Amino acid sequence: MKLDKKDLTILNLLQEDANISNKAIAAITNLSVTPVYERIKKLNALSLLRKKVYLLNRKKLGLNVMVLVSVRIDKHSGEDALMFMNEVKKIPEIVECLHITGTFDFQLKVYARDIDHYHEFNFKKLGALKNVKHMESHFVMKEVVNTTSLPLFI
């Protein structure tokens, strides 16, 4: 897959604002609208553009607490790890689950309304999963960098 500077510029523009018009992209990239349309079509065909979404303001929705939870599971067999991964997908408070190396097996990003909501989530949902051996919660004090944009080097 070969991408040129204009393709990368288009990708950067789209990941900053998925609603940007082809006309606006054309003006920035010094292309006409038709080549912009064709390039976006190509980027879609290459599966570089996954989906178009709106990012919500979590605090305005009352999700004031962000917690990073490190989880160690008891059994690491493929089946048991897969069971854990399938179960966390069903819990709405968990917005991110990463299978990691090191002391812990998984890193979760969790949103809750407040400490009481997190406490309930911790004991009734996450702590209730069969294979959980140990959990460690880290409350986020301040988000320093929070972006969905991937670094594209032009």
Side-chain angles (χ1 to χ4, degrees), residues 10-43:
I10 291 169
L11 287 172
N12 267 325
L13 291 167
L14 289 172
Q15 72 177 340
E16 286 300 319
D17 179 5
N19 289 321
I20 190 170
S21 69
N22 288 355
K23 185 177 178 182
I25 294 172
I28 294 167
T29 58
N30 294 317
L31 294 168
S32 64
V33 174
T34 301
V36 167
Y37 171 80
E38 291 300 324
R39 283 175 180 259
I40 292 172
K41 195 168 133 182
K42 175 187 83 170
L43 296 170

Side-chain angles (χ1 to χ4, degrees), residues 14 20 23 36 47 53 57 65 72 97 120:
L14 289 172
I20 190 170
K23 185 177 178 182
V36 167
S47 299
V53 299
N57 184 328
V65 176
R72 191 176 310 125
C97 175
E120 184 176 312

Side-chain angles (χ1 to χ4, degrees), residues 7-103:
D7 290 328
L8 294 175
T9 299
I10 291 169
L11 287 172
N12 267 325
L13 291 167
L14 289 172
Q15 72 177 340
E16 286 300 319
D17 179 5
N19 289 321
I20 190 170
S21 69
N22 288 355
K23 185 177 178 182
I25 294 172
I28 294 167
T29 58
N30 294 317
L31 294 168
S32 64
V33 174
T34 301
V36 167
Y37 171 80
E38 291 300 324
R39 283 175 180 259
I40 292 172
K41 195 168 133 182
K42 175 187 83 170
L43 296 170
N44 257 316
L46 292 170
S47 299
L48 289 170
L49 304 174
R50 286 184 21 210
K51 62 183 176 177
K52 189 175 180 177
V53 299
Y54 283 101
L55 302 176
L56 306 180
N57 184 328
R58 70 176 175 88
K59 289 189 177 181
K60 290 204 182 250
L61 292 167
L63 298 170
N64 297 306
V65 176
M66 181 195 304
V67 187
L68 301 177
V69 185
S70 301
V71 178
R72 191 176 310 125
I73 59 174
D74 194 31
K75 297 177 184 168
H76 295 267
S77 71
E79 198 172 290
D80 290 311
L82 190 58
M83 182 194 73
F84 176 83
M85 289 186 266
N86 286 330
E87 289 301 311
V88 297
K89 288 176 186 177
K90 299 174 188 174
I91 303 172
E93 289 90 346
I94 299 171
V95 297
E96 189 172 284
C97 175
L98 305 169
H99 193 185
I100 60 174
T101 62
T103 307

Side-chain angles (χ1 to χ4, degrees), residues 123-138:
F123 282 94
K124 292 184 178 177
K125 293 183 180 180
L126 187 58
L129 296 180
K130 254 199 284 188
N131 202 21
V132 173
K133 182 177 183 176
H134 180 74
M135 298 182 301
E136 195 171 291
S137 300
H138 305 273

